[in-house]
């Protein structure tokens, strides 16, 4: 059996969790807490990095104390202490990283620096029945929209990505345009409930190929964002108040449609029978339902991270750490810092005995 304490402060959620796993490798969450700063950042319409770092410093010690107590484990019973070290806001990442490394040194436990996206990928392992690779992952968050094939050895290939905004970023920007506040995803989902998703025809955003035609699995959301702006500008001249619910529903529908269509096509084209969906946008109810329905129709089995572990949390960081422990990865040197950017393909550099950055 392995047990880990995991910390996450890469953006605007401070989080700590304790997880264990037995010989079957299935992670179990013994305790998980999140202190969200959303309300504070909402005043500014987005995350203010300086405020985020300060709030993490205030919140993290209490969260750690609470999850350790709830789990019934003492620090010396942990097999490792894990913290997100990349990518994210550098000052925010620093809080979990320094805290994790300090606790590791103090209690003489190994430290594991985790790649935030490795955490999102591992979040599907927290579902009751999680699939085993090979599978195709649609990672849709505030910073990423990517289609990644994970093979049996755990190695990854990227088949698709967004060329501009991530899907979550598009939700946040369109919510601001519609006066729905931050974070945009949940606000748009709520407004869309009472709206007509067929009312506005919006573009699906395709990426042209040099030799003609379009990239089958890449995404673009900037044209859609502009189309929303033009639609709002035109409506403002003729319809007051704005039909916010219809606008939100039409936007949500086209984003869900494009994500589902290209992901399933990619899975089918490559003969992959299993699709996994993770990340903050995977919390979207319309997207979850549509992906399940169309997957069933096309014979692709769909697994989605549990709702509670789609948006940022520390349990997913713990799940990634447990997987690394199981695979016998080296601990991360305590001299490793943080990095605002680092491609997912480089995540294994964190476990090779040399500081990656
Ligand atoms: O994974 P996450 O918590 O943070 C990143 O790593 O980026 O994702 C946050 C993103 C935000 O853009 C937020 O608007 C979006 O996920 N999001 C949603 C929903 N809940 C969160 N988007 C659509 N529908 C939702 N229900
Ligand atoms: Zn995230």
């Amino acid at each position: 059996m392995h047990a880990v304490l995991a910390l996450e402060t890469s953006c605007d959620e401070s989080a700590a969790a304790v997880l264990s796993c037995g010989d079957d490798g299935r992670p179990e969450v013994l305790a998980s807490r999140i202190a969200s700063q959303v309300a504070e950042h909402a005043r500014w319409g987005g995350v203010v990095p300086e405020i985020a770092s300060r709030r993490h410093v205030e919140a993290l010690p209490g969260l750690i104390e609470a999850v350790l107590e709830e789990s019934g484990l003492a620090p010396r019973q942990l097999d490792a202490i894990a913290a997100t070290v990349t990518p994210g806001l550098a000052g925010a990442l620093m809080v979990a990283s320094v805290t994790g490394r300090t606790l590791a040194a103090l209690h003489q436990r190994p430290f594991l620096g985790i790649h935030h996206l490795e955490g999102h990928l591992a979040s599907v392992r927290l579902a009751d029945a999680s699939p085993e690779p090979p599978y195709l992952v649609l990672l849709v968050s505030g910073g990423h929209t990517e289609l990644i094939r994970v093979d049996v050895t755990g190695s990854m290939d990227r088949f698709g990505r967004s060329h501009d905004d991530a899907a979550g970023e598009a939700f946040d920007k369109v919510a601001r345009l519609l006066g729905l506040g931050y974070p945009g995803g949940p606000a748009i989902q709520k407004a869309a409930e009472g709206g007509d998703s067929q009312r506005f025809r919006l573009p699906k955003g395709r990426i042209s190929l040099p030799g003609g035609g379009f990239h089958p699995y890449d995404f673009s959301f900037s044209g859609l964002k502009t189309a929303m702006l033009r639609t709002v500008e035109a409506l403002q001249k003729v319809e007051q108040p704005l039909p916010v619910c219809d606008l939100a529903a039409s936007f949500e529908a086209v984003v869900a449609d494009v994500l589902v269509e290209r992901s399933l096509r990619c899975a089918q084209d490559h003969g992959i029978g299993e699709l996994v969906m993770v990340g903050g946008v995977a919390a979207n109810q319309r997207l979850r339902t549509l992906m399940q329905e169309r997957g069933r129709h096309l014979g692709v089995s769909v697994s989605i991270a549990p709702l509670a572990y789609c948006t940022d949390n520390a349990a997913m960081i713990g799940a990634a750490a447990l997987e690394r422990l199981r695979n016998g990865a080296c601990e991360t040197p305590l001299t490793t810092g943080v990095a605002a950017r680092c491609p997912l393909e480089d995540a294994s550099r964190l476990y090779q005995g040399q500081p990656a950055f």
Side-chain angles (χ1 to χ4, degrees):
M1 184 185 117
H2 284 132
V4 294
L5 166 68
L7 312 177
E8 154 68 42
T9 60
S10 66
C11 191
D12 59 349
E13 318 276 12
S14 321
V18 177
L19 284 85
S20 70
C21 80
D23 294 336
D24 64 355
R26 186 161 290 286
E28 189 189 343
V29 182
L30 303 181
S32 174
R33 300 266 174 117
I34 301 174
S36 178
Q37 309 171 358
V38 159
E40 197 160 352
H41 297 291
R43 287 176 53 208
W44 308 99
V47 179
V48 183
E50 174 67 17
I51 296 178
S53 310
R54 286 170 185 270
R55 295 297 167 261
H56 289 317
V57 171
E58 289 163 8
L60 199 57
L63 295 173
I64 294 172
E65 211 172 324
V67 292
L68 282 174
E69 190 179 323
E70 195 182 328
S71 73
L73 294 179
R76 68 186 146 71
Q77 294 173 288
L78 300 168
D79 295 278
I81 294 175
T84 308
V85 294
T86 191
L89 301 168
L93 285 164
M94 197 58 103
V95 180
S97 157
V98 168
T99 308
R101 285 182 285 155
T102 306
L103 288 172
L106 193 66
H107 299 290
Q108 298 181 330
R109 304 286 84 199
F111 174 68
L112 291 175
I114 304 290
H115 193 292
H116 182 77
L117 301 185
E118 203 187 349
H120 275 301
L121 256 58
S123 66
V124 74
R125 301 188 58 79
L126 299 170
D128 288 338
S130 69
E132 291 296 327
Y135 47 62
L136 182 70
V137 184
L138 171 64
L139 167 65
V140 258
S141 68
H144 295 83
T145 305
E146 301 192 5
L147 278 167
I148 301 161
R149 183 184 59 190
V150 180
D151 76 16
V152 270
T153 65
S155 83
M156 299 176 198
D157 276 314
R158 193 189 294 109
F159 286 163
R161 66 183 173 94
S162 172
H163 284 242
D164 37 64
D165 289 352
E169 209 175 341
F171 268 96
D172 294 335
K173 288 178 179 168
V174 167
R176 200 176 310 155
L177 171 72
L178 300 179
L180 291 171
Y182 173 87
I188 287 195
Q189 175 170 315
K190 191 152 189 300
E193 276 167 20
D196 173 2
S197 63
Q198 303 295 314
R199 178 159 171 203
F200 300 103
R201 280 192 64 81
L202 296 163
K204 284 190 173 175
R206 296 199 289 179
I207 299 295
S208 307
L209 290 171
F214 298 98
H215 194 293
Y217 322 125
D218 277 358
F219 305 93
S220 165
F221 295 103
S222 67
L224 171 58
K225 211 176 51 191
T226 310
M228 287 296 291
L229 177 64
R230 298 281 171 263
T231 308
V232 166
E233 283 170 352
L235 281 166
Q236 273 164 342
K237 294 183 191 135
V238 292
E239 191 170 336
Q240 287 295 348
L242 274 180
V244 170
C245 296
D246 294 346
L247 285 162
S250 302
F251 168 79
E252 184 187 54
V254 77
V255 174
D257 204 44
V258 83
L259 290 171
V260 168
E261 199 177 272
R262 286 182 206 163
S263 303
L264 291 173
R265 174 160 178 206
C266 181
Q268 287 196 302
D269 287 355
H270 293 87
I272 308 171
E274 191 92 48
L275 187 102
V276 163
M277 186 164 73
V278 298
V281 181
N284 184 271
Q285 205 49 58
R286 185 183 192 104
L287 176 61
R288 294 174 82 90
T289 308
L290 194 67
M291 191 68 95
Q292 295 281 13
E293 277 174 9
R294 292 228 198 123
R296 204 172 304 125
H297 184 68
L298 295 173
V300 176
S301 154
V302 173
S303 304
I304 308 178
L307 207 51
Y309 302 124
C310 286
T311 46
D312 291 348
N313 64 88
M316 68 184 195
I317 302 302
L322 286 169
E323 231 166 290
R324 287 288 175 180
L325 280 179
R326 227 158 65 91
N327 295 334
C330 283
E331 59 192 88
T332 306
L334 290 181
T335 48
T336 299
V338 299
R341 288 172 186 278
C342 172
L344 182 58
E345 297 90 309
D346 288 352
S348 59
R349 286 179 52 213
L350 292 166
Y351 316 101
Q352 288 169 357
Q354 297 293 321
F357 34 75

